[in-house]
Amino acid sequence: MSPRTPSQLEVIRQQKIRLIYDVALELFATHGYASTSVSMIARRAGISKGLMYNYFESKEELLRRIVMGGFQQFLGLLKVENERNVKKEEIINFIDENIRLLKRDYNYYKMYFSLTFQPEVFNLLKEEVMQYFMGVMNILVSYYAKRGVPSPLVKARFLFAVFDGIAVHYISDVESFPLDESRDLLIELL
Amino acid sequence: MSPRTPSQLEVIRQQKIRLIYDVALELFATHGYASTSVSMIARRAGISKGLMYNYFESKEELLRRIVMGGFQQFLGLLKVENERNVKKEEIINFIDENIRLLKRDYNYYKMYFSLTFQPEVFNLLKEEVMQYFMGVMNILVSYYAKRGVPSPLVKARFLFAVFDGIAVHYISDVESFPLDESRDLLIELL
Amino acid sequence: MSPRTPSQLEVIRQQKIRLIYDVALELFATHGYASTSVSMIARRAGISKGLMYNYFESKEELLRRIVMGGFQQFLGLLKVENERNVKKEEIINFIDENIRLLKRDYNYYKMYFSLTFQPEVFNLLKEEVMQYFMGVMNILVSYYAKRGVPSPLVKARFLFAVFDGIAVHYISDVESFPLDESRDLLIELL
Amino acid sequence: MSPRTPSQLEVIRQQKIRLIYDVALELFATHGYASTSVSMIARRAGISKGLMYNYFESKEELLRRIVMGGFQQFLGLLKVENERNVKKEEIINFIDENIRLLKRDYNYYKMYFSLTFQPEVFNLLKEEVMQYFMGVMNILVSYYAKRGVPSPLVKARFLFAVFDGIAVHYISDVESFPLDESRDLLIELL
DNA sequence: AATGAATGAGTCTTCATTCAT
DNA sequence: AATGAATGAAGACTCATTCAT
């Protein structure tokens, strides 16, 4: 019998990668990175430990790929029409997109916040996080500066913190946290 | 040297317990619970691993005692004169006390938040967390209800989330997060 | 394309076997048998791991075949015209042939000596090694006995040891070991 | 009960270190470094795997300590009264001391030679080996130069190779290799 | 003839915990 | 009260080998 074609193999590989990726994301989110063993990931994915290493160089690389993969989405949200003149609708839209991702990629947020508090691991991601952080700050500061707010930087950091507070409370209690209402209250703060 | 009296021994015991407690808190905060080994704690405290087990049943119990110990302080902040008629000054005072603890017990907060994202560990504390959470909510809901706010529960949860957002951003960037200004903006939201 | 004829297939087979054989020899020599993985061999040979198992039953069999293959050459050097009357020229010729092989099949020697010090692996080859060893000894002992040397066996073993000493130092430092001069000094010892 | 005194502990530690050291040396010598697992060492030493790591940072450090420990002896043999005027007796004495060590520390030699052929591992020791090699060469070259030998360097390298050849054949066949007679033949070469 | 995804036993290493002293 | 040697289960990772295609 002839070997599988390259495209067949590629399909198999992508499926497996996706599978491992999803399982790992969920486990990292619920148990934390350090407390999630490669064995757990393999068991939950229904594969052998060895196979994970066919697709990911190490547990750490798996984490990095997951975090970076998710980050792309967030970086994508940062676009504004004119950096010098950020419109309120753009901010609102940015918030709403974030809320949408928060609902959809609930696990990703959970994992992301949990990493925030594990300095050793977090250092792996520092650069990207900084990039995103600066992107958000630029937009917000520009927005408040244009409107003559006395301390645009303070206001910007406050707003960012408020958003993350909402996110943290939401992912800690998805069932009953009033996310949409909180979003409205957040918009009022702009 | 004459043998020590029982009370002297008790003093020594308490000092050692405090020492272990402090060292462990700092390490849990900076490295995370899972990444802090008992050996590290013993080494940093200048004692043997065995001694730690004289005072604490296990690493997990050590964590539990640390978290619980810190919690007492927060529960102490919940007092209001009249539950039915919460005054604005009381809320402000409550916030300020929290800010004070946030500055002082920075490590505790850091550790606490990191646990928030590790359900297994967090479950150990669920009851106490719930108790505190309900206490805060009662006060805030009562406050807003009295003032005729349409959705006091929503407003209360929002406010709580905002506070935690500030806390999270502060402990992630103690150097430059504008904590006091954020406190003022928070007060304005009341 | 028309299907290949059986003999064409056989040529392909032989080429692949040779390829694997050569790559493996080099890797075994430079990294050691235990530290050379089948994956490395396959990658360097530009084939799949599976294919290697089409031609060689196992990594161990691959080693055995390599060692045995090389051995044939040495056994071929053992011929003398008359076992009872070994001439000096024949010994010199034998030494020179060995030197020639040492230069040419440098990797083989390197691998061979490294195996010498791993009894488990070496046991696989014991019989052949013994056969060669006895062949060399027979010739040398006969040579020295005929010349009335008091302890021909001792002299023979010494000479063999000297040759291997030269070989070992040569393969440990190909760049600067004075192989040809050492050969001359060795001849003087005869 | 009071804890063991520091000196009691030191005795325990030294015994265990010695035990692990000896077992590891023997196993490295007979199976090779790569093929000797930490489990094997622990099993043969009658201890747990974990304990090995109380005394040695890693398998590699264990190897390094063993090799370096043995090396001290060899470096100790290099002393000559006057580097400019090396006496024949000194060379003979040096050879005899080496022969003595070869007999006594048979395993060490075996391990040493096996490492010689595992480049990855050998690199760890390169510096020390070089130091020893240069020491030996200095003495031999000086010896031959003083005596007006045409190519003292060649003669020195040859002699060194001869000694190692004897060593290699001896450790490959302790039972019947004529070590003492070979020593005499070696002396004749001086 | 040829592929490489997949496995699982085995590797080195760490660490919470126990226990004799 | 105090020590640290000792354990063993578990962790991340590797690799010879198999097998469906």
Side-chain angles (χ1 to χ4, degrees):
Chain A
M1 269 166 271
S2 48
R4 277 167 280 214
T5 65
S7 75
Q8 282 175 316
L9 288 172
E10 191 54 25
V11 168
I12 290 175
R13 272 212 300 277
Q14 289 310 321
Q15 284 174 341
K16 281 288 146 84
I17 288 176
R18 187 79 223 167
L19 173 65
I20 295 168
Y21 191 103
D22 289 342
V23 167
L25 170 52
E26 188 186 332
L27 290 175
F28 289 163
T30 51
H31 300 257
Y33 174 71
S35 300
T36 300
S37 72
V38 172
S39 298
M40 282 168 66
I41 298 171
R43 203 179 315 122
R44 278 278 276 270
I47 60 167
S48 68
K49 267 180 295 178
L51 190 58
M52 202 216 81
Y53 288 91
N54 262 6
Y55 296 117
F56 299 91
E57 263 182 13
S58 64
K59 187 186 163 188
E60 190 178 302
E61 204 231 354
L62 173 56
L63 174 68
R64 203 160 29 225
R65 291 251 294 267
I66 291 175
V67 178
M68 295 315 173
F71 241 97
Q72 300 317 311
Q73 300 197 320
F74 293 96
L75 292 171
L77 301 182
L78 289 177
K79 313 278 177 264
V80 289
E81 206 172 283
N82 179 355
E83 279 241 2
R84 302 266 167 84
N85 184 14
V86 178
K87 286 180 230 146
K88 188 166 189 178
E89 288 75 42
E90 287 179 315
I91 303 281
I92 293 177
N93 183 56
F94 176 64
I95 289 172
D96 284 338
E97 285 300 306
N98 264 287
I99 298 274
R100 190 176 59 81
L101 290 180
L102 180 56
K103 285 176 176 168
R104 200 191 68 184
D105 298 341
Y106 161 78
N107 267 337
Y108 182 84
Y109 269 90
K110 208 164 163 183
M111 185 194 68
Y112 174 76
F113 279 112
S114 89
L115 294 178
T116 300
F117 297 100
Q118 288 175 259
E120 262 102 72
V121 184
F122 193 63
N123 281 333
L124 304 172
L125 326 166
K126 210 154 212 166
E127 209 171 320
E128 278 76 14
V129 173
M130 250 334 193
Q131 194 188 342
Y132 178 67
F133 178 81
M134 294 312 292
V136 173
M137 289 303 289
N138 278 341
I139 292 176
L140 290 176
V141 169
S142 162
Y143 172 77
Y144 284 121
K146 186 85 177 187
R147 267 149 200 80
V149 167
S151 311
L153 187 62
V154 165
K155 192 78 203 263
R157 292 204 71 163
F158 178 73
L159 207 84
F160 201 165
V162 171
F163 181 82
D164 276 351
I166 292 171
V168 166
H169 274 232
Y170 172 67
I171 65 184
S172 298
D173 179 17
V174 190
E175 303 300 319
S176 65
F177 184 81
L179 181 57
D180 293 323
E181 294 89 337
S182 294
R183 174 261 180 209
D184 295 341
L185 290 168
L186 173 59
I187 300 296
E188 285 177 27
L189 289 184
L190 288 180
Chain B
M1 241 189 294
S2 56
R4 277 167 284 215
T5 65
S7 79
Q8 282 177 317
L9 286 174
E10 187 53 25
V11 168
I12 292 176
R13 279 181 63 89
Q14 289 310 321
Q15 284 175 338
K16 288 283 173 179
I17 289 175
R18 186 77 221 171
L19 175 65
I20 296 168
Y21 191 104
D22 288 342
V23 166
L25 171 53
E26 187 184 334
L27 291 174
F28 288 164
T30 51
H31 301 268
Y33 173 71
S35 299
T36 300
S37 71
V38 171
S39 296
M40 281 168 68
I41 297 171
R43 202 180 315 121
R44 279 277 275 270
I47 60 163
S48 69
K49 272 183 293 180
L51 190 57
M52 205 215 81
Y53 283 89
N54 263 1
Y55 296 120
F56 299 90
E57 255 181 19
S58 66
K59 186 186 168 189
E60 193 179 298
E61 204 232 353
L62 172 56
L63 173 69
R64 204 161 33 225
R65 293 252 294 268
I66 291 174
V67 180
M68 295 311 177
F71 242 98
Q72 298 317 311
Q73 299 197 320
F74 294 96
L75 292 172
L77 302 180
L78 288 177
K79 311 284 176 255
V80 288
E81 206 172 284
N82 179 352
E83 280 241 2
R84 301 270 165 82
N85 183 13
V86 178
K87 286 180 234 147
K88 188 165 189 179
E89 288 74 41
E90 286 179 316
I91 302 281
I92 293 177
N93 183 56
F94 176 65
I95 289 172
D96 285 339
E97 285 299 306
N98 263 288
I99 300 271
R100 191 176 57 80
L101 290 181
L102 179 55
K103 286 177 176 168
R104 200 191 68 185
D105 298 342
Y106 163 77
N107 270 336
Y108 181 84
Y109 268 90
K110 206 165 165 181
M111 186 194 68
Y112 175 76
F113 278 113
S114 86
L115 295 179
T116 300
F117 297 100
Q118 284 174 263
E120 278 94 282
V121 186
F122 197 64
N123 280 334
L124 307 171
L125 325 165
K126 207 153 214 170
E127 208 170 320
E128 279 75 14
V129 173
M130 248 338 193
Q131 194 188 341
Y132 179 68
F133 179 81
M134 293 313 292
V136 174
M137 288 304 288
N138 278 340
I139 291 175
L140 291 176
V141 169
S142 161
Y143 171 79
Y144 284 122
K146 187 83 178 186
R147 265 148 201 79
V149 168
S151 312
L153 187 62
V154 165
K155 190 81 202 258
R157 294 204 70 162
F158 178 73
L159 207 83
F160 202 167
V162 171
F163 181 82
D164 277 351
I166 292 171
V168 165
H169 273 231
Y170 172 66
I171 65 182
S172 298
D173 179 17
V174 189
E175 303 300 320
S176 65
F177 185 81
L179 180 57
D180 293 323
E181 293 89 335
S182 293
R183 174 262 181 207
D184 296 340
L185 289 168
L186 172 59
I187 299 296
E188 285 178 26
L189 288 184
L190 289 181
Chain C
M1 243 187 296
S2 57
R4 277 166 283 215
T5 67
S7 79
Q8 283 176 317
L9 286 175
E10 188 53 25
V11 168
I12 291 176
R13 277 183 64 88
Q14 289 310 321
Q15 284 175 338
K16 289 284 173 178
I17 289 176
R18 186 78 221 168
L19 174 64
I20 295 168
Y21 190 103
D22 289 342
V23 166
L25 171 53
E26 187 185 333
L27 291 173
F28 288 163
T30 51
H31 301 267
Y33 173 71
S35 301
T36 300
S37 71
V38 172
S39 296
M40 281 168 69
I41 298 170
R43 202 179 316 122
R44 280 277 276 269
I47 59 162
S48 69
K49 273 182 293 180
L51 189 57
M52 204 215 81
Y53 283 89
N54 263 3
Y55 296 120
F56 300 90
E57 254 181 20
S58 64
K59 186 185 167 188
E60 192 178 298
E61 203 232 353
L62 172 56
L63 173 68
R64 204 160 35 224
R65 292 252 295 267
I66 291 175
V67 180
M68 296 311 178
F71 242 97
Q72 299 317 309
Q73 299 197 320
F74 294 95
L75 292 171
L77 302 180
L78 289 177
K79 311 283 176 255
V80 289
E81 206 171 282
N82 177 354
E83 280 242 1
R84 302 270 166 83
N85 184 13
V86 178
K87 288 180 230 146
K88 190 166 188 178
E89 289 72 42
E90 288 179 315
I91 302 282
I92 293 177
N93 183 57
F94 176 66
I95 289 171
D96 284 339
E97 285 299 305
N98 264 287
I99 299 272
R100 192 177 55 82
L101 290 182
L102 180 55
K103 286 176 176 169
R104 200 192 66 186
D105 298 342
Y106 163 78
N107 270 336
Y108 181 84
Y109 270 89
K110 205 164 164 182
M111 186 193 68
Y112 175 76
F113 278 112
S114 86
L115 295 179
T116 300
F117 298 100
Q118 284 174 262
E120 279 93 284
V121 185
F122 197 63
N123 280 334
L124 306 171
L125 326 164
K126 207 153 215 170
E127 208 171 321
E128 280 74 12
V129 173
M130 249 335 190
Q131 194 188 341
Y132 178 68
F133 179 81
M134 294 314 291
V136 174
M137 288 303 287
N138 277 342
I139 291 174
L140 290 176
V141 169
S142 160
Y143 171 79
Y144 284 121
K146 187 83 175 187
R147 268 148 198 79
V149 169
S151 311
L153 187 62
V154 165
K155 192 78 202 260
R157 293 204 71 163
F158 178 73
L159 207 84
F160 202 167
V162 171
F163 181 82
D164 277 351
I166 292 171
V168 165
H169 273 230
Y170 172 67
I171 64 182
S172 298
D173 179 16
V174 190
E175 303 300 319
S176 65
F177 185 81
L179 181 56
D180 293 323
E181 294 89 333
S182 294
R183 174 262 181 207
D184 297 340
L185 290 167
L186 173 59
I187 300 296
E188 286 177 28
L189 289 183
L190 287 181
Chain D
M1 269 168 274
S2 47
R4 278 168 279 214
T5 65
S7 75
Q8 283 176 317
L9 288 172
E10 190 55 25
V11 168
I12 291 176
R13 272 210 302 276
Q14 288 310 321
Q15 284 174 342
K16 280 289 145 80
I17 288 176
R18 186 80 223 167
L19 173 64
I20 295 168
Y21 191 103
D22 289 342
V23 167
L25 171 52
E26 189 186 331
L27 291 174
F28 287 163
T30 51
H31 300 255
Y33 173 72
S35 300
T36 299
S37 71
V38 172
S39 298
M40 282 167 67
I41 298 171
R43 203 179 314 122
R44 278 279 274 271
I47 60 167
S48 68
K49 265 181 295 178
L51 190 58
M52 202 216 82
Y53 287 90
N54 261 6
Y55 297 117
F56 299 91
E57 262 181 15
S58 65
K59 186 185 166 189
E60 191 178 303
E61 203 232 353
L62 173 56
L63 174 68
R64 203 159 31 223
R65 291 252 293 268
I66 291 175
V67 178
M68 294 316 172
F71 241 97
Q72 298 317 310
Q73 301 198 320
F74 293 95
L75 292 171
L77 302 181
L78 289 177
K79 311 280 176 261
V80 289
E81 206 171 283
N82 179 352
E83 279 240 3
R84 302 268 167 82
N85 184 14
V86 178
K87 287 180 233 148
K88 188 167 189 177
E89 289 74 42
E90 286 178 318
I91 302 282
I92 293 178
N93 182 57
F94 176 65
I95 289 172
D96 285 338
E97 286 298 306
N98 265 287
I99 299 274
R100 190 175 58 80
L101 290 180
L102 180 56
K103 286 176 176 168
R104 202 191 66 185
D105 298 341
Y106 162 79
N107 267 336
Y108 182 84
Y109 269 89
K110 208 165 162 181
M111 185 194 69
Y112 174 76
F113 279 112
S114 89
L115 294 178
T116 299
F117 297 100
Q118 287 176 258
E120 263 102 72
V121 184
F122 194 63
N123 282 334
L124 304 172
L125 325 166
K126 210 153 211 167
E127 208 171 322
E128 278 76 14
V129 173
M130 249 337 193
Q131 193 188 343
Y132 178 68
F133 178 82
M134 294 312 292
V136 174
M137 289 303 287
N138 278 342
I139 292 175
L140 291 176
V141 169
S142 161
Y143 172 79
Y144 284 121
K146 186 84 176 187
R147 266 147 201 81
V149 168
S151 312
L153 187 62
V154 166
K155 191 80 203 261
R157 294 204 69 161
F158 177 73
L159 208 85
F160 202 165
V162 172
F163 181 83
D164 277 351
I166 292 171
V168 166
H169 273 232
Y170 172 67
I171 64 183
S172 298
D173 179 16
V174 191
E175 302 300 319
S176 64
F177 185 81
L179 181 57
D180 294 323
E181 295 88 335
S182 295
R183 173 262 181 207
D184 296 340
L185 291 167
L186 173 59
I187 299 295
E188 284 176 28
L189 289 183
L190 288 179

